Amino acid sequence: MSFRLAAYAVCIEDGRVLLARYVSPTGDANWTLPGGKVEHAEDPFNAVIREVAEETGCDALVERLLGVDSRVIPAAEARLGIEHHNIGIFYRVRITGGTLRPEPSGETAESIWTPIPDVAHLRRSSLVDIGLALAQTLPPTGHVAPVPVGGLLRH
């Protein structure tokens, strides 16, 4: 089993959400939230700010913790073919500066502001739906019910 601790930014402005198009080394692409792996000894709060800057070219300010999602992706569905445990920490983030651009030497090909109703029609990571659910419901416990994965959603 593999394990990953990650921090994700939910940036919502004027009815739009900031999404990043992730392109894997094999060329498979889908939309996701800006964010990623928390490095050893790094605070997730700092990691989400760093990840937004690296992936989008924008400066970010964390406004609040939205919640934590913990899920195990079965080997048959996992990208690497081995069971994967992902713990995602989701933050509400506001963009304060910078200009959207692709990630230099990275896997984020572009970032765009997408009207929230249009998200349902995109090939996307389940992280997008989890982050939007947390931002829209603000559950007092910080826990969102499991998001079913199917159709256009990908782990």
Side-chain angles (χ1 to χ4, degrees), residues 24-39:
S24 74
T26 63
D28 188 36
N30 65 287
W31 293 97
T32 190
L33 296 172
K37 182 180 177 186
V38 176
E39 301 296 336

Side-chain angles (χ1 to χ4, degrees), residues 13-114:
E13 184 178 296
D14 300 325
R16 302 172 304 158
V17 61
L18 182 60
L19 297 179
R21 189 166 61 91
Y22 169 81
V23 180
S24 74
T26 63
D28 188 36
N30 65 287
W31 293 97
T32 190
L33 296 172
K37 182 180 177 186
V38 176
E39 301 296 336
H40 177 73
E42 183 178 30
D43 187 312
F45 184 94
N46 296 326
V48 76
I49 293 169
R50 174 186 54 76
E51 286 283 347
V52 169
E54 288 176 3
E55 293 181 357
T56 71
C58 292
D59 302 320
L61 174 71
V62 173
E63 294 183 322
R64 68 169 290 158
L65 173 67
L66 290 172
V68 176
D69 177 71
S70 175
R71 66 185 52 235
V72 174
I73 302 167
E77 299 173 26
R79 208 177 318 142
L80 300 177
I82 57 172
E83 187 175 73
H84 176 72
H85 184 193
N86 191 74
I87 296 180
I89 302 171
F90 292 78
Y91 293 95
R92 175 71 184 248
V93 171
R94 182 167 39 91
I95 299 301
T96 59
T99 304
L100 291 178
R101 54 121 178 97
E103 181 179 16
S105 305
E107 296 173 329
T108 302
E110 66 179 315
S111 297
I112 61 169
W113 288 99
T114 305

